[in-house]
Amino acid sequence: MIPELLGAAQSVQSLFSLLKAANGLANYNEIVAAVSEVNTKLLQANAVALAAQEKQSSLSAKVHELEKECARLKDWGAEKEKYERRQVAPGVFAQLEKNFVGEMESAHKLCCNCFDKAIPSTLQQNQVVDPKIGRMPKLVCPNGCPPIVFRHYL
Ligand SMILES: [Zn+2]
């Protein structure tokens, strides 16, 4: 943007010099050419200024978005301290509130994969019926993580 503005300023100075020297309309063609040049450079400078303004607006939006994400992660830092990774079934882990006591089946369980990505995602319990084994618990993460099927809770 700076070169275009400098060019426009120089053209304006040239125009003033010409006008001082003109003393009437003796250099009319040079004046018209100088005015035209100034106009062209001002248009270029304006276009560059608009582009810079758009870029700044875009960067401001990005900064705002990052500030929100930063605040969310700070909040998550405090929230995640309330949970711990626990084995709820043989080889099956979930995030439970620290010091949870009670049946694993009824515990509020968060998905470990999502938890590691700073996303608290409650696992929903479902059932699968296996023809040989019978009913088996199935934990489903609403964020699309692979479902976890197992024989029984601990
Ligand atoms: Zn998940």
Side-chain angles (χ1 to χ4, degrees):
M1 181 164 83
I2 298 295
E4 286 81 3
L5 290 176
L6 286 176
Q10 287 170 349
S11 295
V12 170
Q13 284 178 341
S14 305
L15 180 60
F16 280 128
S17 299
L18 281 172
L19 287 173
K20 279 182 184 174
N23 283 338
L25 296 177
N27 297 325
Y28 180 75
N29 287 339
E30 288 180 34
I31 291 171
V32 169
V35 168
S36 176
E37 185 181 335
V38 167
N39 192 37
T40 300
K41 290 191 175 178
L42 284 174
L43 286 174
Q44 289 171 348
N46 194 32
V48 170
L50 284 175
Q53 191 176 20
E54 279 181 29
K55 188 172 183 177
Q56 183 180 356
S57 177
S58 166
L59 289 173
S60 291
K62 185 74 178 171
V63 165
H64 181 68
E65 185 180 303
L66 290 172
E67 284 173 344
K68 275 176 60 180
E69 179 66 7
C70 189
R72 188 186 74 79
L73 289 174
K74 279 183 183 172
D75 289 346
W76 173 246
E79 181 70 16
K80 78 176 184 181
E81 292 303 316
K82 298 176 185 171
Y83 294 88
E84 64 184 351
R85 190 164 298 204
R86 299 260 304 263
Q87 189 172 214
V88 298
V92 176
F93 294 86
Q95 293 286 341
L96 272 64
E97 285 187 27
K98 280 184 179 172
N99 305 318
F100 171 81
V101 178
E103 296 290 322
M104 288 296 174
E105 187 173 358
S106 59
H108 175 225
K109 298 174 271 300
L110 296 179
C111 171
C112 290
N113 291 337
C114 292
F115 194 89
D116 292 343
K117 295 174 193 165
I119 302 167
S121 177
T122 300
L123 291 170
Q124 298 297 321
Q125 186 168 304
N126 209 327
Q127 284 187 343
V128 172
V129 178
D130 183 282
K132 292 180 183 171
I133 299 170
R135 291 182 180 198
M136 297 171 64
K138 174 182 175 184
L139 295 176
V140 179
C141 171
N143 287 332
C145 295
I148 305 164
V149 179
F150 49 97
R151 286 190 176 203
H152 57 83
Y153 280 100
L154 289 180

